[in-house]
Amino acid sequence: MTPEDRTAAASVNTAALGLIPAPRTLTPAPSGPYALNRATPLSAAPGTEGVARWLRTTLGPATGLPLTEGTGDHGIVLTLDGELAPEAYRLAVDADAVRITGGSAAGVFRGAQTLRQLLGPDAFRRAPLAPGRAWEVPAVVVEDEPRFGWRGLMLDVSRHFLPKDDVLRYLDLLAAHKLNVFHFHLTDDQGWRIEIKRYPRLTEVGSWRSRTKYGHRASELWDETPHGGFYTQDDIREIVAHAAERHIRVVPEIDIPGHSQAAISAYPELGNTDVIDTTTLSVWDTWGVNPNVLAPTDNTLRFFEGVLEEVLELFPAGTSPFVHMGGDECPKDQWKQSPLAQARIAELGVKDEEGLQSWFIRHFDAWLADRGRRLIGWDEILEGGLAEGAAVSSWRGYAGGIAAAEAGHDVVMCPEQQVYLDHRQDGGPDEPMPIGYVRTLEDVYRFEPVPPGLSQEAARHILGTQANVWTEVMQNRARVDYQVFPRLAAFAEVAWSALPAPADRDFAAFDARMSAHYARLDALGVDYRPPTGPYPRQQRPGILGRPLDVVPPVV
């Protein structure tokens, strides 16, 4: 075989590796591959010890190899290079070593994820399939760094509670896709999920509902089984530590002033007591926009300051510089009827009820800023005027994010029409509880977080993007898996890789790489939607959804 033939063969092999997300560059190395065996050492330069620990606890069980501690320039070698961007890495494989160099420990960790993919799907298992099996890393050089610094997934655990181990598993799945932000939606009308010691009724009362609407809110079906649960403060500390080890930031969300019926059911004085008898409220058992919102009182402010004091202790600034305060879907009807709310509007000198909501958000923006944190909220926080340091999660489309970015505010793009993964994946009749627009794997792959026409200065305020997962019709982990995967793989590539314009993206090549990735998801036990459609056990025949049979607008 001539040198040219060897180069061509190597190129074919690298194309077949199926790396997701696609790296910036992947080229054949002049020698190799590297063979792992029981003598393979793992050397970690100062600052990379955590990545070495992760490699031993993942690749060790999958391969059955000890990966003993080493000090030389052979085996698996982890190093830092301050000339690289923090999450950038270089992975170089030859016959002597696998060398992963990162701009920080986070960059080395991203490179370690690529190494795991290069070893093949069985490297994602928890035990070796065959003792003594040979493991090889193909001879390649990968140079890579992310497009966006915010690459996230929002997971709603309020509508349907996911046990702690399921949350830890999702952090592992985020890490496997080089995502680095976990937006943790902890409170809503249907349940309060975080222990607050000074307000024990938030979980004693607010974490349980007596029954649950089954399907869309227009469905006539109910699940009469009580539903609930919450994370203890030690659970939260474990989740945050697990995320930090995987270089994932956690953004806790405490939703105010709407989406608050669970809190009001526990502490009725938080509601608009001059409009309704809040003592009759229970944790909400259905879906939609709830009319019961927080009262604009000093008592409410002090209550949530107390909540946030404990939240900040549980989510340290290094892992959680942002705190999400919701601000979305807050009906103003009760405030319009409330003499107390109207007096507050006059006292504050704000224009109207939207100004009152802005007052809520501005208060906590300043409160968080005084403690070294930043507030982020859904794009409704633009209404009535946006607090100076606040960032925006643009969910109703691009428009809110464009307005915020042009005004100098940081933005995370997560438009419902593009990256709400609770929306159905296909228009066929077998999709379980079909909600919203059809968003196929290809649709997600062609999502562009930075809208055309945005000024260069405004574009610098696009921190990145995230996919959102609302769990009204997802009763358990398997249903969440079905909605999230495989589309999260496409989203991860959009967030990480420097892709062409949407129309020019090579979806066929991505889809071909997914063949390898489906095998990884199988090894991880992910209950994804098969490309050919749902298995019979994944279907929910006869359960009413809310399909929108139009092309989603770009707004």
Side-chain angles (χ1 to χ4, degrees):
M1 183 181 288
T2 66
E4 291 77 12
D5 291 336
R6 283 194 293 271
T7 299
S11 298
V12 170
N13 289 336
T14 57
L17 295 174
L19 295 182
I20 290 177
R24 296 255 169 150
T25 65
L26 187 151
T27 56
S31 69
Y34 178 78
L36 276 69
N37 55 48
R38 296 194 64 79
T40 297
L42 172 54
S43 303
T48 68
E49 298 90 347
V51 183
R53 182 169 58 250
W54 179 85
L55 277 168
R56 288 193 178 95
T57 58
T58 52
L59 292 188
T63 62
L65 302 177
L67 300 178
T68 55
E69 187 172 343
T71 56
D73 191 36
H74 62 285
I76 300 174
V77 182
L78 311 179
T79 58
L80 297 175
D81 181 354
E83 296 297 313
L84 294 174
E87 286 192 280
Y89 69 91
R90 184 176 190 270
L91 186 154
V93 183
D94 58 34
D96 297 320
V98 177
R99 299 177 182 87
I100 305 176
T101 304
S104 69
V108 177
F109 184 76
R110 309 301 174 218
Q113 295 291 348
T114 299
L115 168 60
R116 192 184 188 192
Q117 290 197 17
L118 289 171
L119 283 167
D122 290 345
F124 290 78
R125 297 187 180 274
R126 297 183 184 179
L129 299 186
R133 168 184 168 173
W135 292 86
E136 284 190 345
V137 188
V140 295
V141 176
V142 179
E143 295 187 274
D144 203 7
E145 66 178 288
R147 179 185 179 191
F148 292 109
W150 186 301
R151 308 179 305 279
L153 178 78
M154 190 288 304
L155 183 61
D156 166 23
V157 295
S158 180
R159 274 50 177 269
H160 279 99
F161 177 69
L162 281 179
K164 178 198 68 178
D165 283 356
D166 290 344
V167 175
L168 298 175
R169 172 179 176 267
Y170 256 83
L171 290 170
D172 290 338
L173 292 172
L174 265 63
H177 291 83
K178 297 188 174 72
L179 299 174
N180 70 342
V181 175
F182 178 60
H183 177 168
F184 204 9
H185 184 79
L186 288 162
T187 73
D188 217 297
D189 300 302
Q190 294 86 0
W192 184 284
R193 304 295 179 216
I194 178 172
E195 178 188 26
I196 303 297
K197 291 187 180 294
R198 74 187 70 184
Y199 303 127
R201 287 177 58 83
L202 284 173
T203 46
E204 290 171 0
V205 175
S207 70
W208 291 94
R209 59 180 182 260
S210 61
R211 65 174 187 170
T212 300
K213 176 65 71 174
Y214 193 56
H216 184 256
R217 60 181 175 270
S219 166
E220 297 181 355
L221 300 178
W222 295 88
D223 181 345
E224 298 291 345
T225 306
H227 180 86
F230 66 93
Y231 309 103
T232 69
Q233 294 203 349
D234 282 344
D235 291 339
I236 294 291
R237 292 185 181 98
E238 181 182 358
I239 288 166
V240 170
H242 195 81
E245 288 178 349
R246 287 146 184 79
H247 301 276
I248 293 172
R249 287 176 286 162
V250 183
V251 179
E253 181 177 355
I254 307 297
D255 207 341
I256 65 166
H259 288 287
S260 295
Q261 183 160 316
I264 296 169
S265 72
Y267 292 91
E269 65 272 19
L270 296 173
N272 293 284
T273 57
D274 58 346
V275 176
I276 63 165
D277 180 2
T278 56
T279 64
T280 65
L281 297 179
S282 59
V283 177
W284 212 27
D285 56 13
T286 190
W287 319 123
V289 178
N290 188 298
N292 296 301
V293 303
L294 297 175
T297 65
D298 289 341
N299 176 68
T300 300
L301 297 182
R302 300 295 88 77
F303 184 96
F304 279 92
E305 287 171 0
V307 168
L308 289 171
E309 285 175 3
E310 296 192 27
V311 167
L312 296 192
E313 190 275 326
L314 295 170
F315 295 88
T319 304
S320 302
F322 286 89
V323 176
H324 206 290
M325 297 303 297
D328 61 314
E329 296 179 327
C330 178
K332 311 300 190 295
D333 296 339
Q334 289 184 356
W335 289 349
K336 290 177 181 178
Q337 299 168 29
S338 164
L340 185 150
Q342 292 303 308
R344 194 68 162 185
I345 289 172
E347 174 193 340
L348 296 170
V350 298
K351 180 181 177 182
D352 52 19
E353 290 77 20
E354 287 187 353
L356 196 56
Q357 173 164 327
S358 177
W359 167 77
F360 259 107
I361 299 301
R362 287 174 182 272
H363 175 86
F364 286 105
D365 177 73
W367 191 92
L368 288 167
D370 287 345
R371 291 154 181 81
R373 306 297 180 95
R374 290 189 64 189
L375 181 144
I376 186 168
W378 303 110
D379 56 55
E380 286 96 330
I381 68 173
L382 291 162
E383 298 165 3
L386 184 58
E388 183 177 348
V392 170
S393 300
S394 188
W395 77 272
R396 290 181 294 180
Y398 289 107
I402 291 170
E406 294 287 5
H409 293 276
D410 289 338
V411 173
V412 176
M413 283 293 185
C414 50
E416 173 186 16
Q417 301 84 355
Q418 310 298 327
V419 287
Y420 266 36
L421 300 186
D422 41 299
H423 285 212
R424 58 198 171 126
Q425 304 187 59
D426 188 87
D430 296 331
E431 293 305 304
M433 300 185 193
I435 299 295
Y437 305 108
V438 172
R439 294 286 84 194
T440 66
L441 185 68
E442 182 171 359
D443 290 330
V444 174
Y445 190 67
R446 297 195 188 279
F447 164 61
E448 173 50 47
V450 180
L454 201 62
S455 71
Q456 191 173 33
E457 176 60 29
R460 284 195 280 268
H461 286 286
I462 306 298
L463 299 177
T465 183
Q466 73 181 32
N468 293 340
V469 183
W470 301 102
T471 60
E472 287 93 337
V473 297
M474 302 179 213
Q475 298 83 5
N476 51 45
R477 185 179 90 176
R479 280 288 290 119
V480 175
D481 276 4
Y482 179 90
Q483 292 299 134
V484 171
F485 290 98
R487 292 181 295 181
L488 192 69
F491 174 80
E493 184 148 311
V494 168
W496 177 277
S497 305
L499 297 177
D504 298 328
R505 293 176 189 172
D506 191 347
F507 176 74
F510 171 80
D511 200 35
R513 283 185 284 121
M514 281 299 297
S515 296
H517 202 65
Y518 286 122
R520 297 179 191 122
L521 297 178
D522 287 333
L524 287 166
V526 177
D527 203 9
Y528 60 86
R529 181 190 188 275
T532 53
Y535 297 120
R537 62 176 171 77
Q538 293 173 321
Q539 300 170 19
R540 299 289 187 278
I543 309 301
L544 184 67
R546 183 176 174 265
L548 299 175
D549 293 316
V550 295
V551 176
V554 178
V555 293

